[in-house]
Amino acid sequence: MTIRTPSPSHDHHDHDHDHDHDHGGATHEHDSLVVEDEVGSLLAQQMVDALQALLIRRGILSAGEVTMEIQNLEAPGTHLGARMVARAWLDSAYKQRLLRNGKDGAAELKIKIGEAQLVVVENTPALHNVVVCTLCSCYPRSILGQPPSWYISTAYRARTVREPARVLEEFGLTLPLTTAICVHDSNADMRFLVLPMRPVGTEGMTEDELSQLVTRDSMIGVALVVTPSR
Amino acid sequence: MSSLATTMNRVRFSVGDKAVVADLRKPGHVRTPDYLIGHTGEVIQFCGYFLNPEDLSIGRTSGPMVPLYRVQFRMETLWRAPQRHPDDRLCIEIYDHWLMPAIETGSDF
């Protein structure tokens, strides 16, 4: 299979041929390092599209099944992790069970964690936890959805294990010098959820109200949960 | 020839044990990052038995199951530089075959 590589900025001459030849011996100056097709798909995407088309044509998959699977992947979101955090803030017995076994704690709230085991790590005034995956993009997708692009970036992955305090400062989080930092490099069969500290001024709030305060970033550990301003 | 039951490698470390990350120089789907090679950490949790990702990535799904631990390292010794807090640390999962018992005197912890 050959893959066409027209450049998107190609309006200066109109042609419809493959780009794997040279013009009069000179290399194309607009040959791009990033291979894209006419709708901007990268090479890997083009290969996936070709494979998917083939599987559908052979009757091994249907387009509906692919759409359903994408929906399943995209359905989980931070609201699931936030519910677990809010429950843990309100119910100390639940919190202990959650810290002992995150997957069981999630199951109690009818939240299914499919990809791995779950370790819940608790922030305290003495210890702040932050999660990274240096080798790829391990992330508790069942309860936080898909990771943000910065989580997958090489900068975040390389720097968080090396200089976590500086990374946190760039997120706007300056920890007191009395708080130690624990970096969790998540690379194998566990996934990690940070249990943030409950902010002051939230006494009397319901589980629903509390869960609204819990952000994705606070459950990765690059932010705190802040007191709502009224 | 092959047994139906997946074999399980023996658990060699207990919580509190010191262990050194081995330099196995293995290619492939290795889950132990280079920056830990040769460093001494403390086992803080036994996570259970899992199929080795190095095997799984090349289609070997029959085992053996290998023990997985969570191991913590002091940031100060890991990066050989003073940290903002003496208890700053890094925790990571490591499969059993990547760990060697530490000689107590050379321990980081």
Side-chain angles (χ1 to χ4, degrees), chain A residues 179 181 183 185 187 189-190, chain B residues 31 35 84 88 91 93 95:
Chain A
T179 306
I181 298 175
V183 178
D185 191 353
N187 285 315
D189 281 293
M190 306 288 116
Chain B
R31 308 311 296 164
Y35 69 85
R84 47 177 284 293
D88 282 355
C91 296
E93 304 142 82
Y95 296 95

Side-chain angles (χ1 to χ4, degrees), chain A residues 117 119 127 134-136 161-162 164-165 175-190 192, chain B residues 30-33 35 45 47 50-51 53 68 70 75 78-79 83-85 87-93 95:
Chain A
Q117 299 301 308
V119 175
L127 184 71
T134 50
L135 295 181
C136 51
V161 292
R162 187 78 200 231
L175 293 167
L177 286 172
T178 48
T179 306
I181 298 175
C182 183
V183 178
H184 300 272
D185 191 353
S186 167
N187 285 315
D189 281 293
M190 306 288 116
F192 295 86
Chain B
V30 164
R31 308 311 296 164
T32 305
Y35 69 85
Q45 186 187 346
C47 302
F50 295 89
L51 288 168
L68 179 68
R70 286 174 68 215
M75 286 295 233
L78 192 54
W79 303 116
Q83 301 290 312
R84 47 177 284 293
H85 192 292
D87 289 339
D88 282 355
R89 70 192 87 150
L90 179 126
C91 296
I92 189 165
E93 304 142 82
Y95 296 95

Side-chain angles (χ1 to χ4, degrees), chain B residues 13-19 41-45 70 104 109:
Chain B
F13 299 93
S14 311
V15 171
D17 282 356
K18 311 294 190 296
E42 179 186 355
V43 175
I44 60 166
Q45 186 187 346
R70 286 174 68 215
E104 280 302 321
F109 250 84

Side-chain angles (χ1 to χ4, degrees), chain A residues 113-126:
Chain A
I113 295 177
E115 71 265 43
Q117 299 301 308
L118 181 73
V119 175
V120 179
V121 288
E122 183 184 18
N123 283 350
T124 66

Side-chain angles (χ1 to χ4, degrees), chain A residues 17-31:
Chain A
H17 52 242
D18 287 351
H19 250 188
D20 48 8
H21 64 275
D22 57 46
H23 283 200
T27 311
H28 268 210
E29 63 178 53
H30 52 258
D31 271 353

Side-chain angles (χ1 to χ4, degrees), chain A residues 4-8 32 34-43 46:
Chain A
R4 291 193 49 213
T5 62
S7 157
S32 155
V34 177
V35 179
E36 291 181 338
D37 67 6
E38 54 279 357
V39 293
S41 293
L42 299 176
L43 180 60
Q46 295 171 45

